[in-house]
Amino acid sequence: MHFAFCFEEFALFLTKMDNGCKCTDYNDRQSNAILYNILSRADNDLPSHINLNYNVTPHRCNCEMRRTVCLESPADVCQEASGVLVKTIQFMKNLPAFKQLPTNDQLSLLQSCWAPLFILGLAQERVKFEVIDTPANSMLKRILLKAQKSSEIEREQPTMSGVNKLKSCLKKFWSLDLSPKEYAYLKGTLIFNPDVPDLKTALFVEGLQQEAQHALREVVQPLYPGDRGRFARVLLTASTLNTITPNLITELFFRPVIGQADLLDFLVDLLFSR
């Protein structure tokens, strides 16, 4: 029994080790620990509503999955991105079949497809960007701002892993070198998605998606008569768009512009404005 208990304890220890971040330098941990010890002495002086968690020592994480980043040139890139987003919503507004749908269905489709459409727009406009590490707040600053941030919604910050996934997706589209018509009909296949929940006109939307796919095939075949696999590659590449989260797009390209506002509210206003 004693041996089994020790084994379970050891397994639990290994699990904690596996779940932890292994990229932190020892010196960073030591310096953070010193700062923690200094600041923690004043814990009793902090307001009771500030709940600090010292179970994990704060540190800069360099692993790709958790390394947070931001745009290197936000002014220029955000302006380009805003232009792409406006063109994306205008494209939807100008589709007669889309305007025939009930308002609730339009809203559901907008919420489902705006991010993939925007990425297609980035690819079509050949928008390129670079990122840098997000400036890290000091532990002292985090403590002082804890009460203020507690009333705000915690948002997941862009990571290097997510950005690399986005860049990889863009490169795949650039390698395909799609024509304007290919982009247009591919956007149609993304907009009219019958799998979006609670659509009142799901069958009608499914028919529109099939029409868009047929039109895309009719465009691809004469442009590339010797490449029978191109149509399948275009659709396969388009499927990677769903691996990029709307949150990544919002936080990376638009949070510096809209602040705490909800981007979807802006898109709805843009869609139904005259």
Side-chain angles (χ1 to χ4, degrees), residues 211-225:
E211 288 182 16
Q213 289 177 345
H214 177 75
L216 176 61
R217 185 190 293 272
E218 292 297 309
V219 168
V220 169
Q221 288 179 342
L223 286 176
Y224 303 90

Side-chain angles (χ1 to χ4, degrees), residues 16 19 25 53 58 60 171 216 221 241-242 261:
K16 291 181 178 180
N19 291 336
D25 183 77
N53 181 9
R60 287 292 293 169
K171 288 178 181 178
L216 176 61
Q221 288 179 342
L241 294 169
N242 293 323

Side-chain angles (χ1 to χ4, degrees), residues 232-244:
R233 285 201 307 278
V234 171
L235 292 184
L236 182 62
T237 303
S239 67
T240 64
L241 294 169
N242 293 323
T243 66
I244 314 298

Side-chain angles (χ1 to χ4, degrees), residues 48-270:
S48 59
H49 65 278
I50 299 181
N51 182 21
L52 300 177
N53 181 9
Y54 293 121
N55 291 330
V56 179
T57 302
H59 62 270
R60 287 292 293 169
C61 182
N62 294 317
C63 61
E64 191 176 89
M65 293 297 296
R66 298 173 59 185
R67 178 180 161 197
T68 59
V69 295
C70 59
L71 292 173
E72 184 178 35
S73 304
D76 296 333
V77 177
C78 288
Q79 184 175 0
E80 282 189 275
S82 297
V84 170
L85 187 62
V86 170
K87 288 181 180 179
T88 298
I89 303 304
Q90 289 293 336
F91 180 85
M92 297 180 68
K93 288 179 64 173
N94 292 332
L95 292 175
F98 183 81
K99 292 190 291 188
Q100 294 176 11
L101 298 175
T103 300
N104 287 339
D105 282 7
Q106 291 185 41
L107 290 172
S108 297
L109 293 176
L110 171 67
Q111 186 172 5
S112 170
C113 74
W114 76 264
L117 286 182
F118 171 77
I119 299 171
L120 272 186
L122 291 180
Q124 188 172 10
E125 299 289 335
R126 297 266 174 174
V127 175
K128 296 183 179 180
F129 60 92
E130 298 298 331
V131 296
I132 57 176
D133 288 342
T134 304
N137 290 332
S138 67
M139 187 175 180
L140 177 59
K141 186 175 182 180
R142 272 179 267 181
I143 292 174
L144 295 177
L145 296 179
K146 186 71 176 180
Q148 176 183 345
K149 289 186 177 181
S150 64
S151 62
E152 299 176 0
I153 299 174
E154 286 293 330
R155 295 187 175 90
E156 183 181 352
Q157 297 302 306
T159 63
M160 182 59 74
S161 175
V163 170
N164 284 341
K165 190 181 297 184
L166 172 59
K167 285 191 171 186
S168 175
C169 184
L170 292 174
K171 288 178 181 178
K172 289 177 182 178
F173 279 105
W174 291 337
S175 67
L176 287 172
D177 195 22
L178 300 179
S179 67
K181 285 189 176 180
E182 286 177 298
Y183 271 114
Y185 290 126
L186 184 56
K187 290 176 183 178
T189 67
L190 296 176
I191 293 172
F192 300 113
N193 180 8
D195 296 327
V196 172
D198 302 324
L199 289 179
K200 295 181 179 179
T201 56
L203 290 177
F204 180 59
V205 170
E206 183 178 11
L208 293 173
Q209 185 183 64
Q210 291 174 354
E211 288 182 16
Q213 289 177 345
H214 177 75
L216 176 61
R217 185 190 293 272
E218 292 297 309
V219 168
V220 169
Q221 288 179 342
L223 286 176
Y224 303 90
D227 188 354
R228 295 184 178 181
R230 180 175 175 84
F231 175 73
R233 285 201 307 278
V234 171
L235 292 184
L236 182 62
T237 303
S239 67
T240 64
L241 294 169
N242 293 323
T243 66
I244 314 298
T245 65
N247 180 75
L248 173 69
I249 300 300
T250 301
E251 299 301 319
L252 185 64
F253 294 106
F254 300 109
R255 188 60 60 198
V257 178
I258 65 175
Q260 300 298 322
D262 189 338
L263 180 61
L264 188 60
D265 290 341
F266 170 75
L267 298 181
V268 171
D269 290 342
L270 194 60

Side-chain angles (χ1 to χ4, degrees), residues 21 23-34 57-59:
C21 177
C23 68
T24 307
D25 183 77
Y26 174 78
N27 291 330
D28 290 340
R29 292 198 299 270
Q30 286 295 98
S31 62
N32 280 324
I34 293 172
T57 302
H59 62 270

